[in-house]
Amino acid sequence: MTPSEPSPASTSSKPETSDPASKAQERMARFRALQARAKTSSDQNLKEATKESQRLATDPSQLNAVTRKHAIASQKLLKADIEESGGDFERKRAWDWTIEESERWDKRVKKRDAHRDDTAFRDYQRESEKAYKRQLKNMGAPDLEKYTREKMAAIEKAAAAGTLDIVETEDGEMIAVDKDGTFFSTADSTAFAQHKPDKAAVDRLVADLRKAEEASLKKRRDRQAKNGEDNGDVTYINEKNKQFNQKLARFYNKYTAEIRESFERGTMV
């Protein structure tokens, strides 16, 4: 062995001293990265929690509830002060209202009381009327701008085709009416059958029908749960027949589900 050649002991000792140092540096780098990730997550969670607390603090429903409670407390305090001084609270409060505002308020209170007294079941005709009014209320306000545009387009079309007539009403008002009844329908017109509603109106109708069907099914389930009927309609005449129907349902319900739903909706032909 020449003096310039390194000894085996010296060559084997260098990796042993360098490997632990590199591993320590790698572990420290991973630790720093985990620390940075944890700090980022903590800051993000704190920011989201702050936003959530601010949203809860400015919730409109909670603000309305607080405002309502404050108004009720103020009214009770004012009433107590006036009664202690020997005054009439209702007379004192009426000074702050005009005749129109008082009449509107009385009408609102009367309507609210009538609605509260009309919650009980009377007959099916009254229930149908209430459901009809509720559906009309949920439809929203009519689109008068669209109605005006369609009316003007129909009048222009009728004027261009020469089928526009000017009709005088009993009170002397002049009205433009198209002869074929494409817009101003008469008893003889059939143009209403050609009307095609827009997609928003169709979606609103479908959503209303689905909502009514879900409400009906919910009432039906509640009634069945109250009567102890957990298997749908009563299709049995005794307990033995009930067990037989349950056995059939386990095997064949998955094949007859669509037919049964069609029968329930009344769309089965």
Side-chain angles (χ1 to χ4, degrees), residues 98-115:
T98 62
I99 297 177
E100 292 80 7
E101 291 173 344
S102 179
E103 290 178 352
R104 284 198 300 266
W105 176 255
D106 293 340
K107 183 178 179 181
R108 180 180 177 183
V109 171
K110 184 179 179 180
K111 184 177 179 181
R112 183 188 62 188
D113 294 340
H115 178 72

Side-chain angles (χ1 to χ4, degrees), residues 47-180:
K47 186 182 298 183
E48 295 295 333
T50 304
K51 289 182 180 179
E52 183 68 16
S53 62
Q54 292 176 355
R55 186 188 66 80
L56 293 176
T58 59
D59 191 1
S61 60
Q62 294 182 1
L63 290 178
N64 292 335
V66 172
T67 305
R68 191 182 305 110
K69 291 180 180 179
H70 182 269
I72 294 173
S74 301
Q75 182 179 0
K76 289 182 178 179
L77 183 61
L78 179 62
K79 182 177 181 180
D81 293 339
I82 294 176
E83 290 179 352
E84 285 180 1
S85 61
D88 188 356
F89 172 70
E90 295 296 335
R91 186 168 182 270
K92 176 70 174 177
R93 189 178 62 170
W95 293 350
D96 300 332
W97 301 89
T98 62
I99 297 177
E100 292 80 7
E101 291 173 344
S102 179
E103 290 178 352
R104 284 198 300 266
W105 176 255
D106 293 340
K107 183 178 179 181
R108 180 180 177 183
V109 171
K110 184 179 179 180
K111 184 177 179 181
R112 183 188 62 188
D113 294 340
H115 178 72
R116 181 185 59 193
D117 298 336
D118 197 27
T119 54
F121 176 80
R122 287 194 206 166
D123 51 35
Y124 289 103
Q125 182 178 359
R126 180 57 182 162
E127 290 297 316
S128 300
E129 183 180 356
K130 288 163 60 176
Y132 175 71
K133 289 183 178 180
R134 183 170 60 250
Q135 291 175 353
L136 286 180
K137 184 178 179 181
N138 294 334
M139 285 180 62
D143 191 355
L144 298 179
E145 295 182 359
K146 181 180 178 181
Y147 173 81
T148 305
R149 289 196 303 267
E150 292 181 355
K151 181 174 68 173
M152 295 305 298
I155 292 175
E156 292 176 358
K157 182 179 179 181
T163 60
L164 189 67
D165 286 343
I166 304 299
V167 179
E168 184 177 0
T169 59
E170 296 179 356
D171 55 357
E173 184 180 1
M174 307 299 291
I175 300 179
V177 179
D178 49 343
K179 294 180 181 179
D180 55 356

Side-chain angles (χ1 to χ4, degrees), residues 27 31 36 48 67 79 81 88 103 106 114 122 154 160 199 208 216 233-234 244 250:
R27 285 196 298 268
F31 179 70
E48 295 295 333
T67 305
K79 182 177 181 180
D81 293 339
D88 188 356
E103 290 178 352
D106 293 340
R122 287 194 206 166
K199 187 177 183 301
D208 185 68
S216 177
D233 295 334
V234 179
F244 181 75
R250 284 198 300 269

